[in-house]
Each structure stands twice: as C-alpha cells, then as structure tokens.
Amino acid sequence: MKFQPLPLLICLLTISPIFAQKHTHQSARPLAFPDVPGFKTLKTDLHQHTVFSDGNVWPTIRVMEALRDNLDVISLTEHIEYQPHKEDIPHPDRNRSYEIALQEAKDHDLLVVHGSEITRQAPMGHSNAIFIQDANKLLNDEAEDSFAEAKRQNAFVFWNHPAWHPQSPTGNPILSDFQKERIQNGELHGIEVINMGDYAEESLALALEHNLAIMGNSDIHGLIDWDYAEKGHDRPVTLVFAKEKTKESLKEALFAGRTVAVFNSLLVGKKENLVPLLQACIQVEKAQYINKTSILEVTMKNVSSSDLIFENQMPFTFYSSSPVFTVPAGETKTINIKTLERKDGLTLTLKALGAYVAPKVQPIVEWEIKVAE
Amino acid sequence: MKFQPLPLLICLLTISPIFAQKHTHQSARPLAFPDVPGFKTLKTDLHQHTVFSDGNVWPTIRVMEALRDNLDVISLTEHIEYQPHKEDIPHPDRNRSYEIALQEAKDHDLLVVHGSEITRQAPMGHSNAIFIQDANKLLNDEAEDSFAEAKRQNAFVFWNHPAWHPQSPTGNPILSDFQKERIQNGELHGIEVINMGDYAEESLALALEHNLAIMGNSDIHGLIDWDYAEKGHDRPVTLVFAKEKTKESLKEALFAGRTVAVFNSLLVGKKENLVPLLQACIQVEKAQYINKTSILEVTMKNVSSSDLIFENQMPFTFYSSSPVFTVPAGETKTINIKTLERKDGLTLTLKALGAYVAPKVQPIVEWEIKVAE
Amino acid sequence: MKFQPLPLLICLLTISPIFAQKHTHQSARPLAFPDVPGFKTLKTDLHQHTVFSDGNVWPTIRVMEALRDNLDVISLTEHIEYQPHKEDIPHPDRNRSYEIALQEAKDHDLLVVHGSEITRQAPMGHSNAIFIQDANKLLNDEAEDSFAEAKRQNAFVFWNHPAWHPQSPTGNPILSDFQKERIQNGELHGIEVINMGDYAEESLALALEHNLAIMGNSDIHGLIDWDYAEKGHDRPVTLVFAKEKTKESLKEALFAGRTVAVFNSLLVGKKENLVPLLQACIQVEKAQYINKTSILEVTMKNVSSSDLIFENQMPFTFYSSSPVFTVPAGETKTINIKTLERKDGLTLTLKALGAYVAPKVQPIVEWEIKVAE
Amino acid sequence: MKFQPLPLLICLLTISPIFAQKHTHQSARPLAFPDVPGFKTLKTDLHQHTVFSDGNVWPTIRVMEALRDNLDVISLTEHIEYQPHKEDIPHPDRNRSYEIALQEAKDHDLLVVHGSEITRQAPMGHSNAIFIQDANKLLNDEAEDSFAEAKRQNAFVFWNHPAWHPQSPTGNPILSDFQKERIQNGELHGIEVINMGDYAEESLALALEHNLAIMGNSDIHGLIDWDYAEKGHDRPVTLVFAKEKTKESLKEALFAGRTVAVFNSLLVGKKENLVPLLQACIQVEKAQYINKTSILEVTMKNVSSSDLIFENQMPFTFYSSSPVFTVPAGETKTINIKTLERKDGLTLTLKALGAYVAPKVQPIVEWEIKVAE
C-alpha cells in the first residue's frame, strides 16, 4: 500500500493512527547507562551488516533497531570483499550502506559513523575500520595495504572476534606477526573482547597487554529482535566515555581507550573506566538505621539496563540478604548492614561479580554513604 | 563474523549452540486453523514487499517470518513500476525477489507463489497478480495491458485495499469502469476486504455482489514483528480451503473462491466457507450433566489461533456464563446449559459475533452434541 | 516472629523494609469504576464468610483483600445457624466477625457494614440481611421470625444465589410463597443475579418484575486470590450509586435500587443505572478527521476495570476495525468512522454486548462527540 | 453458598466445574529439589502460625498453601503463651491447630508434624519444639520446664530467628547461658539461619560451632502468596535428607543434622549436605566438541526451583559465557569450555556463589563429565 518515497519512520508514524492496536508486546528494551564524571556515556554498536554485504536487511532497519535500543552511535561495517548479493546489488560504491543509514538517521539523535570491515582468512582475520572517508579505497589485494589506507584516512581500527573458532579451533586468539606489525605501525587500536554472545578472557588479556581499546559489538546480520531480544538478551555494545555526543569526541575517546564492553550483566573494561561506570550505575537512595538498632538500611537503585551482581566486601555482615545479591536493571534493592554501632557514614564496599577489569579479576567498588538522621 | 554463503536459517542453526541463552521471549505466535471437511486449510499471506520494491528486508527475511508464523504459502508482490531502491538494485529482472525466496524456502514446507503488484493511481488502483510466469511482462504503460498479460499467464488477480483513503477519501471502495471491465473480462478474481488492520464492509459487499474471492493480507513493508506481533496482533491472512497443499490446489481453490480473510478475532468469508471453519475451530471435549441436575456442562476447545466470541442462540439459558462469551485461542471454555430436563443430545447453537458472512451479518453455527452418561 | 498485638497491616509495613524484594508479581488488580452524574459509584462486596461461620480466614484478611481490590464497602455475612468451627470458636455473640473487621478497617477508607446470613433449606433458601444492629436476634427457629427481626432492625435484605442448583436442580430460581410474602411484607429488597461466577438471567427477570435491587457478590469462603485473581477473574461486586460515601447514603441507594452487578466484563443492571455507568466508563479523548478524508478518528478510553465489548449501531461503517470490538480495561481504542462527509459532531452509538438491562437485552449507549478542528 | 461440612479442597473441586475460567494467573510456583544419593529430599516448612495463635488463617489454608508449594512436610507452631484471639478461640487445648491440619491433609501426600513454639523475651527468645505429643504440657511459667518437657516428649527443638533485632538490636545472635545449657542438656538441636527473608551468617557460625541442625522457615502469619509469591519469592524451607518420606525418617534426619536451608537462590548447609544437593540439582545433559574444534559444549539442566549462580574454577576458560553465570530454575544453560585439546572426559568444577557451607565460604562442586563421540 505504501507508495510515497518517505523515510520509513515517518511512514510508520503516518500509518499508526489508523491501525487498531490490540495491546502492546514491546520486545525491545532500551539500553540505559548513566554518564560518568566528566564524560557522556555513549552506547555504540560498531559492527553490523546489511544487504550491502552478507546481512539481510536494508540499512534503514539498522537505524530503527538502534533507535529502539536507545543507542547513541552505530556503524555499518560491510565486508567490502565479500558481496554475496552482488548479482542484485552490483553497485561498485562501498559507501552506499553508510549513505542510506545517514539519510535515515538525519532527523534522529543517532550518530552514524562511516565504517567498513577488512576481511581475510587467518592469520589476518577480520577487522573493522571506522571513521573512514571512503570504503572503496580499503578494497585491496593485500590486507597490509587496506590497513595502511585506513591509517591514511585516520580511521580507528579494531580486531573482530579474535577468538572465533573457524579461524582458531582452540577458541583462543592467536596474535600473529600480522597483528603485531599493525599495532606497532599504529594501524590497530582496538579489539573485540565480546562479539555476539561470545566473551574471550584471552582477548581481554591481549587488550591490556597491548593497550588496545576494549570493544563489544553485535555483529548483527539478521534481526536484533530474533538474535537477541527474543532470547532475553540485550545486544552487546561498546560504551564509550566521550566529552560530548559528537563524532569527534567519540573518536578521541576510542583512541584514548575509554570504553567498556557490555553484554547483558557482563561488563568488561579497564579499571579506570569500569569502576566509575559501576559507581554511577548504583545510586544510594536512602541510608537510615532501623528503629533503635545498629542495623543500617541502605536502598540502592540500579539505573542501568544491566542486572548487577555484587558480593559484600565490608567487615560488616548483612541482616537479611545473602552476601551475594543482584540489583536488577532499573530496580531498587535494600540491604541491611549490621554496623554493630550507629555511625554517621559508611563506605559501602562491594565486589562486582559480573564485571572484569582483567581475566578473572572483578573490581571492588566503593560508595561513600552519609547516614540520614 | 558470518562469512559462508549459506542459507540464512542454516547459519542461524549453526550459531545457536554456542550462543548463550538467557531466557526466551518469543514474540511470534504461530497461526493455527484446523482443516475443514474435504479440504486442507492453507494459511496464506499473498501481499508482501521486500527491498526489491519499497520494502526494507531481503526476501529471506520474509521466508523466515512466514515459518515463524506457521504460514503455508506466501507471495512477494513487488511494485514492478515503483522501484525506490533502483539506484542500488538496478536489476532489470522483476522476478528476482521470487527466485531468492524460492531458494530460501526450498528445504521447508512453505509454498512460495510467484506474484507481482500492478500499481496505478485511482481509479485503477493497486492489484496483485499471483501464479504468474514472468513479472517483467506485466510492466506496461497501460494498466489494461498488464491485466491482459496476467490473464495470458493464467494468473489469479485481486484488487488490493480498494477502500484505501489516499485513493478514496471517504474510505469506501469505488468500483470504476476499469474494475468492472476487468471482472467482465475474467481478469479480476479477488478483492482484499482486509488489508493490514483495515476491514471494509463495503469491500465485502463488492466481493459478494461480483463473486470475487475474499482476501486478507499483511501488505508488509517493514517487519511483521514490529507492525503486528509487538502490538499484540497476528498478521492478516487469507485462509484458502484447498484439496491438497500444492500450488495447483491452492490456485484451484482461489479461483473457486474458497477463502476466509482473518485478522485477529475478525473472520470474513462466504457462509459456505466460514461456517465449516468455525465448526472445526470449536471442538466439544465433554458434555455431561452436573450431578442430579438438568444442567449440562459443555467443555469446548478453540483449536484456532483466533479468539472467538459467541452469543447464545438456544432456547436454553446458561447457569454460569454470560450469554456473550469468548473462547480464547487455544484454550478451553466450559458453559453450563440449563436444559430444564435431562437430554441425550443437544444442538449447540451460537452466533459468532466476530465473524461476518455479509456486511453486519454474523453466522449462526451449530454443533451436534451427544451427552455422556 | 511477630509477637506484638498490632493490627495486621501495620505489622506488615513494619516488616517490609527488612524484607528483601526480588521482584513484584502483584496478582491482585484494583477494581475501578467511575462516578456517574450525581452519584458516587461505590464498589461493594456484601456477601463474604470467615472462620466465624464456614470460611477459612480471620476477618482481618477480608479487610486486606478488600483494600487490595480497591473496594469501598464490605459486609461479612456469616451463617448464624451454621457454625462448623463451633468447637473452637464457641463465642455466642454472632457480631464478633463484624467487630473484628471494623477494628481492622478503622484506619482505612473502607466501610464495613454489619451483616448476617439467614440460612435455610429450600424453599426459604439463603438470604443476607445487612445494616443490622444485632446478629444474635436473627437466630430463630422460624425463618419468618428472622426476616421480621431484620425488618425491625431496618436491615436491607437480599436473596442469595436464588438459582443455586443444590436448591433448584434446574438451575432456575423458584419464587416460592415464602419469598412472595417477604417481598409483600417489605422484608426482601434485593436479589443476587450474580453469585460467585454464576449469572442467572431468570434472577434478573425476577429482579425487574418485583423491583428488587440487582446484586452481585463473591460469596467468598477461601481466598479471593485463589478463587478469582489467580484464574484471571475479578471478584464479583455490586456497584452502588450513592450520594456520598457513607453507610447512610449506601443504604438509601440500595433501598432505591441504584445498583449494577459486575463480574469481569459482564454488567447487569436496570437501564437507568447501567447506561450512565457505561457512558462514564468510556471517555472520548480525541475526535479528528484524518488528513483530507471524511474518516473521523475517535479515540476512546475505558476508565473502568472491565473489558467492554461494543457493536457499532451507527449508519456509518468503520474504516479499520470490525463492527464488534473490545476496549480493554484501562486502555485506549481508536476507531475510524466513515462519515462520508465531514461533520462538526457525531452521536457515537454503540451496543454494549457484555451488558444486560433485561434478559437478552443489551443497552445501546450514546456519546455526543464534538469534532476537533 | 457452601454449606456442607466438607474438607475445603473437595468443596473447591466441586465448585470449579461450574466456575467460568477466564485465564490462569497462577502465582504459586511449586518448589522442586532432587533427591540425593541415599536420601529423599523432603521440602519442609516447620515454623508457621494460624488463628490458633497470632496468625490470620484457619489451619486448612496452611495445608492448601503447602500443597500448592509442593512441600512434603509442615508444622504449625503456635505460640502457646501468646493467644491474641483468646476471646474468640478460648479452647484450652493447644493441640487443636495440629489436629485440624492433620484432618485436612489426610487425603494428600503431605506430612503434618505436631509442633509448638516456646516463646519468651530475650535471653531465652523463641524456640520451636516439633514431634511433640501434647502441646499443653509445654505451657509452663519457666522456660526451662518447657524445654525439659519437650525433651521428655522426645521433641526436636530449634532456636527461632536468633538474630531477630527486637531481641538483639545489633542484629546478631546472642548465645546466652540459657541456650548453652539447653544445648548441653540435649534440649536444643537446631537453629534457624534463615527466618522469613533474613539470613544471618553469625547464626550459621553458631550452628557449625555447636553442631546444630541448620534450619530455614517462613514463620508465616498472613498468606504465603502475599508475603512471598507476590514479591517474586519462594517461601524459605528446610530441605531434610531422609531415608524415607515418613515422620520417623524425618525426625532421624533432623537429629542427624542432614539439612539445607533455602531461600530463593540462597542455600545454606553443612558441606556434606549441600554439595551432594548441588551436584543433584545440575544434570549434565550433553557434552560434545564443536565441529573440529577443541571447544567442549556442555549443556546443564537445573532441575531445582532455585536459580543457581556459578563461577568457573577450572584451568580452562569459556568460549562464550562469562566465568560467572546463572542457570535459572528449571532451565538449561550451555557453556563452551576451551579444553585446548580434545579429551574423553572432564571434571566440571564450579563454585556455587549463592551457596554457603560456612560464613563467606562457598562450596566448590565437581561433576564428572564423559564426552560424547
């Protein structure tokens, strides 16, 4: 029925008033993460595909999915070398996916970053270059030339799913001479420690050893709803702590490595990035002694969209809860701390069991609490 | 990450075992309608779009949506004249959408029927030709030529959303000389009385007056999940009562007008098609008198995916329920009929309030009940 | 653990802060019905049991259930003659249930009306007397004496479940000489047309013929949650249209017969009471023509807790919806009316399919709509 | 309406066929815990109140709640000294609550154990004696006499909520000379480490130090649904590992200290009891290498009703999941273990983060896995 060449979202808005609604089953859940001191927390998914490589949707769908998920930034990173739909989409310009998404997003508060995948067999593997100027120039016979061109375009480049088992049957990343050279040449700046639902501790080790930005992305080819939402998952994202919500700020932050990769209740990042995020995610709403006791009732709100699992690290035990407890996304949790004597303040000290600052190392987070009269 | 040119479903199956599942939020609900005496009830959606006209997904997504919804038949009916993605998809062959879907569906029990939309301004409006041989030949300057060609290809042709307000601001269908001629020439065989969520009683009147097959279709451009499932709706479908689940049987049944259009709890069809369907939808599981009373307890199961609303038409009243009651989709409902004396059998007689055999005319349906000892 | 003789609700509030909450599964749904012109709409359940007759809970639970369900009025109507817990609760004073509930309710906005059941075999059957002074005086060998005493106490008396099959195996009410005399003597003023989940059209006929107040009650013995909420039901209630929320006003309204009995989406009452209620339940939030069409988009909100089923009765048809449609409790529904030409106003005219003003007679309700520019 | 002195459940079954069901909102969730080698795992709640002390329901409700929760054993432990309903329930026999529950349970597979609370101010506090013969004899001026009498009746006695803040404002248990003497005299055999939602690590320490059975109970006064189910909680229980499902076996097991206290995902018990339980809760359904990789895919099913949180303790890392992961109650979870080379078998080794065998000490649990070809 739709016949006017309008942007998709406007069409849907036009249609909706005459579309009888039974009742709402919203499957998408908007992602939410608070800003941290000094920075905006940008929710980004920088690894996605459309019909312009081996994905199954037009770029407009990726924009709409991002808006539904409350993302701040996306990048469509087509395989420029792998074009299974070439018979029908023979367009020689590898920038088309970006251009269409940019047009669709133009009336929304969503940044679309120009990107491309550079795809090779092992040991080179797959990498994404973003903030590029022209994807066509990245299409070269030699992978080295593609990376060199990405550097010429001042791109931020990260290694995709280094632990991917079709390229490494142990499921561990293999840092080859190729990657070592790229890092030395300043041609590789980040690494996915989370890709789809897969987290590799060994990739985190590489990130820390080589000072690469820690990334997490959906690598979506089909639909976010089918691959993630419907299974009870949020899509993986890279949180980037940027001075402003602009492409320039985002780029600066990525090169500075101010990121945390997130998949559901798993948060992975350098300590200096992850601890302030966790501190901001939990807001202490109330701290008050129960009646005439020395039991301090502390009510915490998790303002993020990730369930957060904590373990008590204080010298004081709890009155009610287990020492291990979850504060569900968006919800409030009250713990009762037996301080033995009444105090004016307390340093709430918890280990974040679902968060990692290094392989097997979970951060201990502190919040200064002032007790209400 | 995905790099092998495998059919989409196989890829997803390959990925799933290594994809950690949180818990399932299946938004899709499989459609279900029972067979009727002598016929298979085929669930069809014969009006859909992809990137090959003004839709937003690759044809593979339409196949997967259909499998999720438990459809038996789909047709992708691109606007051959309206190609907003032409810059990127310049392919001159208008049959590509069909070919790709056919390939994707080949390992599944889903029929893909070759179709095309013939799109004009009023008074010609929009029509779909299905069971065509070559969509390219339908692309003509004159609409008359396109219909003539469809007839040459032995296509089944139906008028899309005749009440669409951009072509008829009263929201009523306008049967022009163009349509009258098409009907007279044997070039127009069906009419959408339901398109998207819109039902027009006046289109039903036209169907009955001109003996056109009664059709209901989704006309999907975006995603079924976003436009229907998420809002609590099932997609509209045309149920076709065919001798077998083959394209030939389907075609025979469509030309014979053996259809019912369905949208949620609204069912529209000729009486001879709709009444047997309703009879099959409700299965009487138990009929027994309560203790020493003359109150007959009748348990009915609705084996369809549509909630069915009924009103008692018997000379007997109910012990418990209101005379107007719903048997929800897939559920069981017990009514207690006060028969005043104990009987061996009863003709359960109900008006189906959500079903229409003519404008404002709801069918009365009967079930012969044998009372258990 | 609880040891202080505090009212139950206060205890629960005291405990809750130290009680770790996982997440909420509120099974109760507060009942909601709007006031009508000139009257407060009081939600009452005037037929309930506790351990003081054959119920299973202390009267305090009945108060808490009522608060959860948002009731305005309850009455605990113990069988004074039938005391299965007599061995343990030998208290000779039949007013204790009332006194305990009154004490529990004293800090809440809930009226507790003093009541009692008068219980006999057929043909006398069961009746409730409410607004009594002393239940003990209703305990007599002869039912006639009990009714006479109730009248002396200025009680409002109604016949309980007249169609109850253990007392009438056809499931139809039998109006005996006993009831006829009670009505003639001004000793019987109301009749349950709904008891538990049971609705009897024949009881409605008696109500209308003998000008008895139309009542609907839960007759709860166990728990409201188990018998109703958990099965997806609201408890049955009698809506009483009173000048104020006081016992005096309530009593005046009951004697005046200003009631509607409600069970889920079934509403039964005299036309003069039911039609204004339905008018108040549906609020037209918006009425505006779509673009340049003559299709009037009307958005209705159902502010009640009952799903309301309607059928179009206007000379105009709908653009989208079926002529039969539901406005779910608390939700909004948009219909599009094809008025053929643009109008300044319209009388929205719908038959309420789940409402009865007489056996098989559903009211037609009108709303005057002013069209927005 | 109900008038026959039938057991409550039979009444409800009688009513249900004539009670129209809308749809089910079952709030209760049956508890489930597997048997362990050599023992039946009995689900018990041995601390409950009714109207016979300061509870709010008749004992029959406690039986029905237990059946809904799938318990194996209950005990009604009324305060014999504290009788707030004495005015209405003056019965001098403190065994009535037990007798009524026993009668209600007689047709069900539920054991009712005769019990009573012995209630004093600090330092004696509250204790429960179960497997008693006559509650009346426990009613003495001196607490010492009550404990001595309980011993004479061969009762199993446990200290209730030793950390209860109205009796210990620090929220920590105070082991007084009174308790020390009771333990020395063989008059105190268990201790609640979980009461309502409250878990005290210090009570666990006392249990271990003095070899007391570890108990967890609901201490319900109101309704299980309102206090637990509706808030998303299961009621706390004591799992008892008994040779058979008989009162004798249960008693033997309690005196032997074979218990685990459970509240939602918190499990507390001695190592020898808790580890076999956790081993039984997780069933490995499948262990197979992915394609040609050395990544072992292990599918685990949690057959218990508690969500179980684990942390990887193996020298091998995971391919997909975080090292900390939850296997939700009744659900399946797949982890992928990177064993670096293909093996025939593996000892799956996980720390159970929500389980405690001593304060702050979580058990490490092992499962021997045989890899499928």
Side-chain angles (χ1 to χ4, degrees), chain C residues 28 142 158 177 181 191 203 206 275 281 294 324 354:
Chain C
E142 298 301 321
F158 57 93
D177 288 344
E181 280 174 33
I191 182 170
S203 299
L206 287 180
V275 168
C281 286
S294 56
V324 169

Side-chain angles (χ1 to χ4, degrees), chain C residues 27-45:
Chain C
S27 61
R29 195 180 58 144
L31 291 167
F33 291 95
D35 294 335
V36 295
F39 298 108
K40 296 255 175 219
T41 298
L42 302 184
K43 301 169 291 290
T44 79
D45 183 357

Side-chain angles (χ1 to χ4, degrees), chain A residues 137-138 140-150 152 182:
Chain A
K137 294 184 180 158
L138 298 182
N140 298 291
D141 286 345
E142 299 302 319
E144 287 81 353
D145 294 343
S146 298
F147 278 78
E149 174 60 27
R152 263 191 296 279
R182 297 289 82 66

Side-chain angles (χ1 to χ4, degrees), chain A residues 27-92:
Chain A
S27 61
R29 193 181 59 144
L31 291 166
F33 291 96
D35 293 336
V36 295
F39 298 108
K40 295 255 175 218
T41 298
L42 302 184
K43 301 170 291 292
T44 77
D45 184 356
L46 303 171
H47 188 173
Q48 303 189 53
H49 296 270
T50 76
V51 295
F52 284 90
S53 58
D54 56 348
N56 292 280
V57 300
W58 199 246
T60 48
I61 295 283
R62 294 288 176 242
V63 171
M64 295 184 72
E65 287 177 332
L67 293 170
R68 289 161 57 97
D69 281 353
N70 196 31
L71 296 189
D72 298 294
V73 186
I74 61 169
S75 186
L76 305 186
T77 50
E78 314 294 354
H79 302 286
I80 47 179
E81 308 84 354
Y82 177 58
Q83 299 268 308
H85 302 154
K86 195 177 185 176
E87 178 181 352
D88 297 292
I89 308 182
H91 208 302

Side-chain angles (χ1 to χ4, degrees), chain B residues 102-119:
Chain B
L102 195 66
Q103 171 70 11
E104 180 72 21
K106 75 177 187 315
D107 297 324
H108 301 283
D109 189 23
L110 176 73
L111 301 178
V112 181
V113 171
H114 198 170
S116 173
E117 186 151 351
I118 304 167
T119 315

